[in-house]
Amino acid sequence: MANDSVKRYLPDMDIGELEEFLTGIGQKKYRAKQIFSWIAKGAVDFDEMTDLSLQLREELKLLACISCLNIRKKLESAIDGTVKYLFELDDGNVIESVLMEYNHGYTACVSSQVGCKMGCSFCASTISGFRRNLTAGEILEQILAMQRDHGIKVSNVVVMGIGEPFDNYDNVIKFLRLANSHHGLNVGYRHMTVSTCGLVPGILRFADEGFQANLAISLHAPNDRIRAKLMPVGRKYRIDKIIGASKIYTEKTNRRIMFEYALIEGVNDSLENAAELAFLLKGLLCLVNLIPINPVKGTSYRQSRRTRTEEFAALLREKGIETTVRRELGSDINAACGQLRHREISSGKPADPVWGTETGQRRGKCGQ
Ligand code: SAH
């Protein structure tokens, strides 16, 4: 477990930290790269690390652990093959991750926190509350576990699962670096996307990291009045500040920003709203991604009609704003943010694992 007091959780470590750990137990530095690569290849047991001596493997078993995620539930979409995983962490908390197949390969959508503090009124992650931040290794392990389970290699990573990545800034940045390492997953920054609800200081810090990752900003409204109703964070960081920070991000990284806009009938989907949005984004290196809102139990929000979605998109395009309408992946399996976790928690009892304890494939627990 990441905060286990006895065993060190190795997926949290970069190569430098692994070197320090290994030299601290009297081992040679070069072992660090070997272990780092094994973890990235999805090893969950030190015995898989066949180029380490038996003695070292036994020692490592006593001192360290390399896996703290177990698959508690797995749902596969009959429509498009999207797979949603509900993972259980060592402390009993659950998080969600999603594996999606696009033409260019597999995309992993990972959670950055257990729950979320941001309080967006349309989001299921909010309803279930905030528990804690995930460590860099716990974010990384979501990808490793999905790759291993599905027998594939992920080529794109999106930090768009449960949580607000910039509310867990340092761990998310460390995760991106770990995933980028050519000794590890070797995913290029241009193939990574971080999605924020608009924490301006986070956007500005991210602009200075020096990597060309993609930034997505959940805007969902063309003005502060509507936005503050949907997203409490909108009261703290106003849209003009978000646009200002976005400009800086595009200038420093030369990357186009994706603005996410979930269309909600009668709330933010009028053609006046579209015109206002177009005016706001004029001249910015950006793309608008219109998302049909995924209705969440307990809210009265409804999806905009298809014709309205098309009109909204057409108006934006007419005004020169590049616009896409998101394909709804995994709509039959609660693939929208936090919905599976919310359902699981509110049902009060853990669901039967579809893959796990009974089959003996439960992953090695830290601290055991
Ligand atoms: N906290 C980050 C990332 C997590 S949410 C953020 O806010 O960007 C990933 C995306 O899903 C965000 O754009 C979020 O606003 C959106 N989302 C959340 N609940 C949704 C729902 N019910 N329907 C459609 N999109 C939703």
Side-chain angles (χ1 to χ4, degrees):
M1 172 168 145
N3 57 5
D4 180 68
S5 56
V6 186
K7 290 190 181 183
R8 301 290 303 277
Y9 176 61
L10 303 190
D12 268 345
M13 297 186 191
D14 58 28
I15 289 178
E17 289 163 333
L18 270 174
E19 284 174 352
E20 212 170 287
F21 167 70
L22 287 158
T23 50
I25 59 168
Q27 292 294 324
K28 291 271 189 314
K29 255 187 178 181
Y30 74 91
R31 294 282 183 210
K33 281 191 188 126
Q34 289 177 316
I35 294 174
F36 190 85
S37 302
W38 277 114
I39 293 172
K41 274 187 257 172
V44 290
D45 191 318
F46 286 108
D47 282 328
E48 293 175 57
M49 303 185 181
T50 45
D51 52 2
L52 306 186
S53 70
L54 258 175
Q55 194 191 345
L56 175 54
R57 285 187 238 159
E58 290 308 316
E59 191 175 353
L60 286 172
K61 283 181 203 169
L62 294 175
L63 298 173
C65 61
I66 48 174
S67 168
C68 72
L69 288 190
N70 288 297
I71 298 175
R72 170 127 142 210
K73 201 166 189 174
K74 181 175 139 186
L75 298 175
E76 201 154 350
S77 166
I79 302 172
D80 53 44
T82 296
V83 193
K84 180 144 200 171
Y85 291 86
L86 191 71
F87 288 115
E88 183 173 334
L89 296 150
D90 262 7
D91 59 6
N93 277 312
V94 286
I95 50 169
E96 291 177 20
S97 319
V98 185
L99 189 64
M100 295 162 282
E101 192 179 0
Y102 291 104
N103 302 336
H104 50 72
Y106 283 91
T107 297
C109 173
V110 294
S111 292
S112 56
Q113 297 179 310
V114 182
C116 188
K117 291 180 217 160
M118 298 300 126
C120 300
S121 61
F122 49 84
C123 181
S125 302
T126 281
I127 311 169
S128 323
F130 174 79
R131 291 282 182 78
R132 68 172 177 87
N133 283 331
L134 293 175
T135 68
E138 287 170 331
I139 306 173
L140 183 74
E141 237 202 284
Q142 297 167 51
I143 303 177
L144 304 180
M146 292 192 288
Q147 288 195 156
R148 187 178 167 105
D149 179 58
H150 215 65
I152 50 93
K153 166 102 179 70
V154 157
S155 52
N156 288 268
V157 174
V158 296
V159 189
M160 277 191 191
I162 295 171
E164 166 50 41
F166 289 164
D167 187 40
N168 182 19
Y169 189 89
D170 292 338
N171 289 339
V172 167
I173 297 299
K174 185 170 187 189
F175 152 71
L176 298 180
R177 290 187 198 282
L178 291 173
N180 174 253
S181 169
H182 59 273
H183 295 290
L185 287 181
N186 199 18
V187 177
Y189 288 120
R190 285 162 171 263
H191 295 273
M192 300 180 185
T193 302
V194 175
S195 178
T196 178
C197 63
L199 301 187
V200 170
I203 298 172
L204 295 173
R205 258 180 99 183
F206 198 48
D208 281 332
E209 291 294 343
F211 24 79
Q212 289 197 302
N214 303 299
L215 179 66
I217 299 180
S218 303
L219 198 60
H220 302 318
N223 59 52
D224 289 318
R225 190 180 45 81
I226 299 177
R227 194 163 193 266
K229 276 192 204 149
L230 296 171
M231 306 172 74
V233 70
R235 289 196 286 269
K236 188 158 184 194
Y237 300 110
R238 302 179 70 84
I239 289 180
D240 57 345
K241 294 281 183 295
I242 294 175
I243 300 297
S246 301
K247 247 184 207 127
I248 293 171
Y249 190 82
T250 59
E251 281 161 12
K252 288 196 172 164
T253 63
N254 216 14
R255 300 300 279 166
R256 184 176 65 170
I257 292 187
M258 181 167 87
F259 288 100
E260 290 161 283
Y261 196 106
L263 285 167
I264 313 173
E265 191 175 57
V267 175
N268 64 0
D269 71 340
S270 72
L271 296 183
E272 290 72 38
N273 294 152
E276 205 176 349
L277 181 64
F279 183 74
L280 191 69
L281 302 180
K282 204 163 182 239
L284 195 65
L285 184 61
C286 72
L287 164 91
V288 171
N289 189 27
L290 297 175
I291 314 162
I293 190 127
N294 227 301
V296 170
K297 229 177 155 184
T299 70
S300 57
Y301 299 137
R302 278 196 314 266
Q303 272 184 13
S304 300
R305 283 170 220 279
R306 185 165 293 216
T307 48
R308 173 45 56 91
T309 304
E310 280 159 15
E311 286 166 349
F312 201 97
L315 200 145
L316 288 174
R317 289 185 189 122
E318 202 178 287
K319 303 255 180 208
I321 309 288
E322 202 176 321
T323 304
T324 55
V325 178
R326 185 189 283 179
R327 239 181 353 131
E328 270 185 286
L329 286 175
S331 52
D332 54 331
I333 54 162
N334 276 317
C337 214
Q339 292 197 32
L340 186 59
R341 172 171 183 261
H342 174 57
R343 218 178 52 184
E344 186 80 356
I345 292 175
S346 52
S347 76
K349 71 174 183 43
D352 293 334
V354 290
W355 183 97
T357 36
E358 282 79 21
T359 60
Q361 292 192 77
R362 191 175 166 86
R363 311 189 74 190
K365 275 209 154 200
C366 289
Q368 275 185 347

